[in-house]
Amino acid sequence: MKKHTSIELFTGAGGLALGLEKSGWHHLALIEKNEHACSTIHLNESLDHPLAKDWRLYPDDVRTIKYPKIAKYVDMVSGGPPCQPFSLGGKHRAHNDHRDMFSEAVRAVRELKPKCFLFENVKGLLRQSFATYFNYIILQLTYPMIVQRNNEDWTSHLTRLERRHTGKSTNELTYKVVYRLLNASNYGVPQNRHRVFMVGFRSDLGKEWSFPESTHSLDRLLWDQWVDGSYWDEHRVAKKNRPEIPRRYKKGVEQLSSDFFSMPPSGQRYRTVRDAINDLPDPKQKQNTIANHEFRSGARPYPGHTGSVLDEPAKALKAGDHGVPGGENMISFPDGTYRYFTVRESARIQTFPDDYVFSGSWTEAMRQIGNAVPVKLAEIVGDSIRKQMM
């Protein structure tokens, strides 16, 4: 399989980078300034991880990077600009937040002129209150050569971009850009995690592309659990130990039983927390030698933070703006007990490989994982883009 080249900005702990490597992309450079995330990447490089051993990490602020010194040409630019400006945890200040780095993503595209790009962010980017600013981001990516002038505010820059967009075509560098809000659980990730993906292809290439179709569904999970019971059989849960149908799903299960006339919904079922972690040992066991699988005590539910149900996709793991929010990083067991996810369990939820290890304390490792793109989702989108480049 031919390796297409890429440069990734805002790499974090490497979720997007790992997925793209698995799908056939080769990173010429990774750029990340957070010292803890850099430690994780260096650790996996030193351990000769098959996907990370050849990575070249630039532990710098992306604003200082001179791209011609890194590579003269790449097929793709990728990355996840900091999401705090658009997330609820980050006070959703958008362009008023100094952490808004989309202009740097645009600069990388302008200077490297790749065949395509892939950027992702939190679903908060699509909030109604950000609609104008999101349109500004898309137009910048469409016309990266129209640079914001000194002392020009973003709304004036937006006006020039709009005029260009509605005007005559020229021979300057432009991109065909599409975006979509994807839920990772629809692609086999055991987590309800929504991310906005923005993909652009250089206009002169004449490429036609669309986002990959969903492969997994909640309806199929409900069928396997509550209509034919194959889910419980697979996990060897005796009938007497199976929980009751959750109230919110009862009507759906009744409809599935009648509408499909004993035929299951097409596609694969959502993967659950149990699917993801069932073969891991109890982290309390003394003989546990799994990397990053240490037990952490103190988990307790509170209003609005009741953990992830064992037999459903996990809630979205979160990094938090000021520490790790415990409620989103707990398991809720059928017997009414709770405990924190271990780092390894969280990595499973985000579909990181088991041999990819995380540096730092539980809090810091969980922050890195909570900031990451699910590896499997990145792989699926990356593979679809790569095939279009062939």
Side-chain angles (χ1 to χ4, degrees):
M1 181 171 63
K2 178 184 176 181
K3 288 277 188 178
H4 294 267
T5 59
S6 58
I7 283 180
E8 183 165 305
L9 323 178
F10 318 107
T11 297
L16 181 62
L18 287 167
L20 293 178
E21 284 280 352
K22 289 184 73 173
S23 65
W25 294 89
H26 172 58
H27 297 300
L28 300 181
L30 306 176
I31 302 166
E32 174 57 53
K33 72 172 184 177
N34 180 273
E35 61 177 318
H36 301 290
C38 289
S39 293
T40 288
I41 292 173
H42 282 311
L43 176 59
N44 286 280
E45 286 177 326
S46 69
L47 294 173
D48 255 3
H49 190 280
L51 296 174
K53 63 182 180 180
D54 295 325
W55 283 353
R56 283 198 301 157
L57 175 65
Y58 289 76
D60 298 311
D61 188 319
V62 70
R63 291 170 292 192
T64 69
I65 295 296
K66 308 297 183 185
Y67 293 105
K69 293 184 178 180
I70 296 177
K72 293 183 178 179
Y73 174 83
V74 290
D75 293 302
M76 179 168 71
V77 172
S78 62
C83 63
Q84 294 92 338
F86 308 97
S87 67
L88 290 174
K91 301 180 179 60
H92 44 90
R93 297 177 62 203
H95 57 277
N96 291 319
D97 194 313
H98 69 279
R99 295 168 295 184
D100 177 15
M101 290 286 176
F102 270 102
S103 61
E104 286 300 317
V106 176
R107 180 173 73 89
V109 171
R110 180 168 57 250
E111 295 185 6
L112 289 165
K113 300 177 177 59
K115 290 181 178 178
C116 61
F117 58 75
L118 165 62
F119 297 116
E120 60 79 34
N121 215 277
V122 294
K123 69 175 181 179
L125 188 62
L126 299 181
R127 287 165 60 90
Q128 184 60 39
S129 56
F130 296 156
T132 302
Y133 194 69
F134 180 67
N135 184 50
Y136 176 51
I137 291 171
I138 296 299
L139 286 175
Q140 286 183 89
L141 290 170
T142 302
Y143 305 105
M145 303 309 291
I146 302 179
V147 183
Q148 187 174 7
R149 296 164 179 162
N150 292 334
N151 301 318
E152 182 182 36
D153 62 31
W154 75 270
T155 55
S156 298
H157 188 206
L158 172 60
T159 298
R160 288 199 296 120
L161 288 163
E162 289 171 338
R163 288 174 176 168
R164 170 64 185 84
H165 190 62
T166 57
K168 295 181 180 179
S169 60
T170 66
N171 293 325
E172 68 187 8
L173 177 71
T174 62
Y175 287 83
K176 301 289 187 180
V177 185
V178 293
Y179 65 88
R180 192 184 291 190
L181 181 65
L182 302 180
N183 184 357
S185 60
N186 290 337
Y187 297 90
V189 176
Q191 181 184 189
N192 280 311
R193 188 179 189 85
H194 295 84
R195 305 292 289 193
V196 181
F197 281 77
M198 292 156 277
V199 175
F201 290 86
R202 215 170 60 208
S203 299
D204 64 298
L205 300 177
K207 298 292 185 180
E208 294 182 358
W209 183 85
S210 62
F211 283 95
E213 293 296 323
S214 299
T215 52
H216 295 64
S217 73
L218 174 61
D219 278 352
R220 184 57 190 259
L221 174 62
L222 295 179
W223 175 280
D224 287 1
Q225 287 179 328
W226 310 114
V227 179
D228 73 3
S230 58
Y231 171 87
W232 307 109
D233 294 338
E234 179 184 332
H235 287 293
R236 300 182 180 179
V237 178
K239 289 187 178 180
K240 65 179 181 179
N241 296 326
R242 298 175 187 180
E244 301 237 345
I245 301 174
R247 183 179 301 175
R248 64 187 179 280
Y249 293 139
K250 281 188 176 180
K251 288 186 178 180
V253 171
E254 290 174 2
Q255 186 172 350
L256 282 170
S257 300
S258 60
D259 284 0
F260 286 93
F261 303 102
S262 299
M263 291 295 293
S266 61
Q268 303 177 63
R269 62 172 169 81
Y270 273 0
R271 297 190 67 239
T272 68
V273 174
R274 191 191 293 266
D275 288 326
I277 70 173
N278 199 49
D279 62 334
L280 289 172
D282 186 333
K284 295 180 182 178
Q285 292 180 358
K286 291 184 179 179
Q287 63 268 35
N288 167 38
T289 59
I290 304 294
N292 296 135
H293 193 48
E294 296 81 20
F295 173 74
R296 182 180 177 89
S297 63
R300 60 180 180 82
Y302 52 95
H305 299 274
T306 54
S308 292
V309 177
L310 183 65
D311 293 304
E312 297 179 18
K315 296 179 179 180
L317 298 180
K318 297 179 182 177
D321 196 39
H322 301 290
V324 177
E328 285 85 352
N329 296 319
M330 296 187 303
I331 308 174
S332 173
F333 291 97
D335 63 1
T337 61
Y338 295 80
R339 73 164 170 80
Y340 285 119
F341 283 117
T342 67
V343 171
R344 181 50 50 198
E345 288 169 336
S346 297
R348 284 274 187 98
I349 295 296
Q350 285 278 58
T351 59
F352 278 91
D354 279 349
D355 56 354
Y356 194 82
V357 293
F358 294 85
S359 174
S361 66
W362 180 86
T363 298
E364 187 47 56
M366 292 290 278
R367 193 195 311 274
Q368 294 174 47
I369 294 170
N371 275 327
V373 179
V375 175
K376 184 176 181 63
L377 182 59
E379 179 184 2
I380 290 170
V381 177
D383 182 62
S384 178
I385 296 172
R386 182 190 61 80
K387 287 177 178 176
Q388 188 60 271
M389 291 291 97
M390 295 175 68

